[in-house]
């Protein structure tokens, strides 16, 4: 099963969904006087905002559109650069390109999230925002990144797609930057197959996010708003069906995180004494999602041998989350041949160049890293080896024992 939420789809989701189907009203807007209108999207937005400790949330149809809404809604566009990690899902970069800005790739450190030191090095007069991506359920160095953003007058955007439910030093992720975005695709902590959310505490930003996600309309529109639309928007709305499933999934979140933490602690403890094995740095061990356990082997050669014997891959080879494997970005394959935004006259940074190996620190770390599943099996993350969400203690111990035996041959 891809993600923990998907493992738990059951009666609650069915009940929520049936309520909408039986009432026969699937659209996110409706009159409070209409008994068929169950306002599931509206409730979901309110619950996610509350859980985030923020005032506003806008539900959208994917994590990718959530990023585009956040970037465009915050006014990021032609001429701007956005700093983004070289280890992330392509959507973090493609959303910047579709906002007509330029993704500037930066190193990750042992958290496998943005390295604040490299972020500083990548800032130019054109930098408008830093996109912190909380990869594999682990919050980035938010204190440091927020301090840099504040010092330099930049926007901090949090791509929380892989970490719904995570907290950082007592605060929900997504609430530290100007905006946070979530995904509810099948690999995420909770899911409805697809779906996304943008959160913020900034009222102006909220209005713009709402307008961008729905043809320029004001929040929670009723009827037709001719004459009041501030700009041309699009349609990224969520349906009542998606929100119904997510409301049921949301009620499972705390229990789900507790189980992941228990399982991860057990798996980690079983590997803790392996000589030369290092764990990924976790910025807030209590707050992370614990969906994966990432280990660093002393060399790439050893890591590749261990991974091969376990039937998995080192993270560098795992596929599409690694910038070296993103030919569409490396070669700037834009959808139309004139090459915007890279050729945009508003962009004054000259020729933008990406190349394999441009982030040596990231390459070294990902070449030595193996992702062990605790509750997310995603070939795209290289988490082919490890545990499943429902595994018993015996099954977890057996998997950890297998890792030990294989690793000890090479350590
Ligand atoms: C880090 C990151 N950002 C953005 C996304 C995009 O989310 P979605 O697949 O819902 O469009 C994903 C999804 O895999 C992701 O992992």
């Amino acid at each position: 099963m891809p993600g923990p939420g998907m493992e738990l789809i059951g009666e609650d989701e069915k009940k929520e969904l049936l309520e909408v189907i039986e009432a026969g009203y699937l659209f996110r807007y409706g009159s409070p006087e209409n008994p068929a209108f169950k306002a599931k999207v509206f409730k979901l937005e309110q619950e996610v905002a509350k859980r985030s400790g923020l005032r506003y949330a806008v539900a959208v149809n994917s994590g990718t559109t959530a990023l585009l809404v956040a970037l465009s809604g915050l006014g990021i566009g032609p001429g701007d650069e956005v700093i983004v990690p070289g280890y992330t899902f392509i959507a973090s970069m493609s959303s910047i390109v579709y906002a007509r800005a330029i993704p500037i790739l930066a190193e990750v450190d042992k958290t496998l999230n943005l390295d604040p030191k490299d972020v500083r090095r990548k800032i130019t007069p054109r930098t408008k925002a830093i996109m912190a991506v909380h990869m594999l359920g682990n919050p980035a160095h938010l204190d440091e990144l927020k301090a840099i953003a504040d010092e330099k007058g930049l926007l901090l955007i949090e791509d929380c797609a892989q970490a719904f439910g995570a907290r950082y030093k007592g605060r929900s992720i997504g609430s530290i930057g100007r905006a946070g975005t979530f995904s509810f695709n099948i690999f995420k902590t909770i899911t409805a197959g697809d779906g996304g959310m943008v959160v913020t505490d900034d009222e102006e930003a909220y209005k713009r996010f709402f307008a961008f996600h729905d043809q320029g309309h004001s929040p929670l529109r009723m009827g037709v708003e001719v004459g009041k639309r501030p700009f041309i928007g699009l349609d990224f709305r969520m349906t009542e069906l998606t929100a119904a499933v997510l409301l049921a999934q949301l009620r499972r979140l705390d229990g789900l995180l507790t189980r992941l933490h228990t399982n991860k602690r057990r798996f980690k403890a079983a590997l803790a004494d392996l000589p030369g094995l290092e764990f990924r740095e976790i910025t807030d061990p209590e707050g992370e999602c614990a969906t994966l356990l990432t280990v660093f082997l002393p060399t790439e050669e050893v890591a590749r041998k261990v991974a091969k014997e376990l039937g998995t891959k080192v993270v560098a080879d795992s596929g599409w989350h690694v910038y070296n494997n993103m030919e569409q970005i490396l070669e700037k394959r834009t959808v139309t041949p004139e090459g915007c935004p890279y050729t945009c006259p508003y962009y004054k940074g000259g020729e933008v160049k990406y190349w394999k190996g441009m982030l040596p620190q990231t390459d070294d770390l990902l070449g030595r890293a193996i992702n062990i599943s605790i509750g997310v099996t995603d070939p795209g993350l290289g988490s082919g080896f490890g545990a499943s969400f429902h595994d018993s203690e015996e099954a977890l111990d057996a998997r950890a024992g297998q890792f030990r035996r294989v690793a000890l041959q090479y350590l």
Side-chain angles (χ1 to χ4, degrees), residues 4 47-48 51-52 134 136-139 158-175 181-184 188-191 197 199 249-250 252-258 260-261 284-291:
E47 291 202 16
V48 172
R51 204 185 158 93
S52 305
H134 308 304
L136 319 169
N138 178 27
E158 295 177 64
D159 177 350
C160 316
Q162 296 192 6
F164 186 72
R167 299 180 71 77
Y168 178 79
K169 302 186 183 174
R171 292 169 72 184
S172 177
I173 54 152
S175 70
T181 64
F182 298 102
S183 161
F184 303 116
K188 307 310 186 221
T189 8
I190 65 167
T191 186
M197 188 75 72
V199 293
Q249 287 264 296
L250 196 56
R252 301 187 187 279
L253 183 63
D254 290 329
L256 181 158
L257 291 171
T258 304
L260 288 170
H261 274 267
D284 182 343
E286 297 304 310
E288 69 141 342
C289 289
T291 34

Side-chain angles (χ1 to χ4, degrees), residues 61 63 75 96 133 144 146 198 203 205 219 235 241 251 280 292 324 331 340 361 374 405 408:
N61 57 3
I96 298 170
V133 186
E144 292 84 344
K146 178 77 167 57
V198 193
E203 190 180 355
D235 172 8
L241 299 172
R251 293 196 289 273
R280 174 191 187 192
L292 292 128
N324 280 327
E331 293 169 24
C340 289
Q361 177 177 301
I374 298 297
R405 275 192 305 282
L408 276 169

Side-chain angles (χ1 to χ4, degrees), residues 61-67 87-93 95 131 133-136 159-163 181-188 193-196 320-321 378 381:
N61 57 3
S62 76
T64 306
T65 52
L67 283 167
Y87 180 50
T88 185
F89 183 59
I90 181 69
S92 316
M93 298 171 199
S95 57
M131 186 186 287
V133 186
H134 308 304
M135 283 298 280
L136 319 169
D159 177 350
C160 316
Q162 296 192 6
T181 64
F182 298 102
S183 161
F184 303 116
N185 82 22
I186 56 167
F187 298 105
K188 307 310 186 221
D194 260 316
W320 54 20
H321 291 82
D378 180 354
L381 291 175

Side-chain angles (χ1 to χ4, degrees), residues 94-164:
S94 57
S95 57
I96 298 170
V97 170
Y98 275 89
R100 298 157 298 148
I102 305 288
I104 299 293
L105 275 47
E107 299 273 19
V108 298
D109 62 16
K110 282 188 178 170
T111 61
L112 294 191
N113 294 320
L114 265 184
D115 177 354
K117 287 199 281 307
D118 199 45
V119 168
R120 275 194 187 277
R121 285 192 288 266
K122 298 283 159 68
I123 292 172
T124 73
R126 299 168 295 281
T127 309
K128 185 83 178 269
I130 300 167
M131 186 186 287
V133 186
H134 308 304
M135 283 298 280
L136 319 169
N138 178 27
H141 291 288
L142 283 168
D143 280 346
E144 292 84 344
L145 294 171
K146 178 77 167 57
I148 296 172
D150 289 348
E151 179 193 323
K152 303 283 183 189
L154 307 174
L155 293 161
L156 177 64
I157 297 170
E158 295 177 64
D159 177 350
C160 316
Q162 296 192 6
F164 186 72

